[in-house]
Amino acid sequence: MKKLLALVLVAMLALFAVSALAENSKGNSDIAGATTTGEGYTLTKITPEGKLAEIITAMEDAGKAGKAIDGLPEGAKGLIPEGLATINDYGCYKLEGDGKGVKEFEMIFKFETPFGKDEKVTLLIGIAPADADVEWLKLDGTGNADGDVVVKVTEAELTKISNNPFVVIPVSK
């Protein structure tokens, strides 16, 4: 009887461990990963704080009226190409690493709304260093077969993004 009880306990513990792993994987579901020809980078999903939290709140509040784009700061709005006006998703991240000497860097983001293969996607990147205003970059991404968005980053862009929290906002038609 004790052996049976011990087996049941072990099975329950294994089930709880698997459930915990599955729960943790859901927490980063909107990031597929990051690849680079350089090494030593870690891309982590973060909870927006400070300046990023203010941007997200303004965007979400404007989104309740169907115009999330209106909640963006002017510096970000000015980067949006004509004809694009839809924001459905966003994610906040931190990329830790050096950024120097890397000639090619690629990040792959998975958003709740999948994008079509070869679909062109404008990504607004709001970089929020602790001691300065948010700096906005406009990067051109492309949808891949998995519905993710692939974006190539230059060495200069990578240096700006590295070690600072940033928000990624895909803008489409």
Side-chain angles (χ1 to χ4, degrees):
M1 187 65 159
K2 288 182 181 179
K3 285 183 182 182
L4 180 60
L5 183 57
L7 285 174
V8 169
L9 280 172
V10 168
M12 287 176 56
L13 287 173
L15 182 60
F16 286 127
V18 168
S19 296
L21 286 173
E23 195 66 33
N24 285 338
S25 68
K26 289 178 192 172
N28 282 332
S29 63
D30 64 340
I31 179 167
T35 60
T36 181
T37 54
E39 294 183 12
Y41 289 91
T42 305
L43 184 59
T44 309
K45 183 176 181 198
I46 62 171
T47 301
E49 296 178 353
K51 296 175 248 180
L52 292 182
E54 290 172 18
I55 291 167
I56 299 303
T57 299
M59 203 170 57
E60 288 175 345
D61 288 347
K64 292 174 187 169
K67 287 288 210 170
I69 209 160
D70 290 344
L72 290 174
E74 290 305 316
K77 286 182 196 174
L79 296 174
I80 299 171
E82 193 168 325
L84 301 184
T86 303
I87 296 174
N88 293 321
D89 298 303
Y90 63 85
C92 292
Y93 306 95
K94 187 160 187 183
L95 178 68
E96 295 178 300
D98 184 324
K100 294 183 178 146
V102 175
K103 300 299 179 208
E104 224 176 272
F105 189 83
E106 188 174 85
M107 292 187 286
I108 304 169
F109 296 97
K110 181 179 189 80
F111 297 102
E112 192 172 313
T113 302
F115 290 89
K117 183 173 178 359
D118 297 325
E119 180 178 353
K120 299 300 177 199
V121 181
T122 294
L123 295 177
L124 297 178
I125 310 285
I127 306 162
D131 58 349
D133 291 336
V134 174
E135 179 179 356
W136 290 93
L137 300 175
K138 176 186 118 359
L139 301 177
D140 296 319
T142 306
N144 67 15
D146 297 326
D148 305 337
V149 177
V150 179
V151 62
K152 292 185 181 187
V153 181
T154 67
E155 182 179 0
E157 293 164 338
L158 181 59
T159 300
K160 288 179 182 183
I161 294 170
S162 294
N163 303 309
N164 288 306
F166 62 96
V167 62
V168 178
I169 304 169
V171 184
S172 58
K173 291 183 178 179

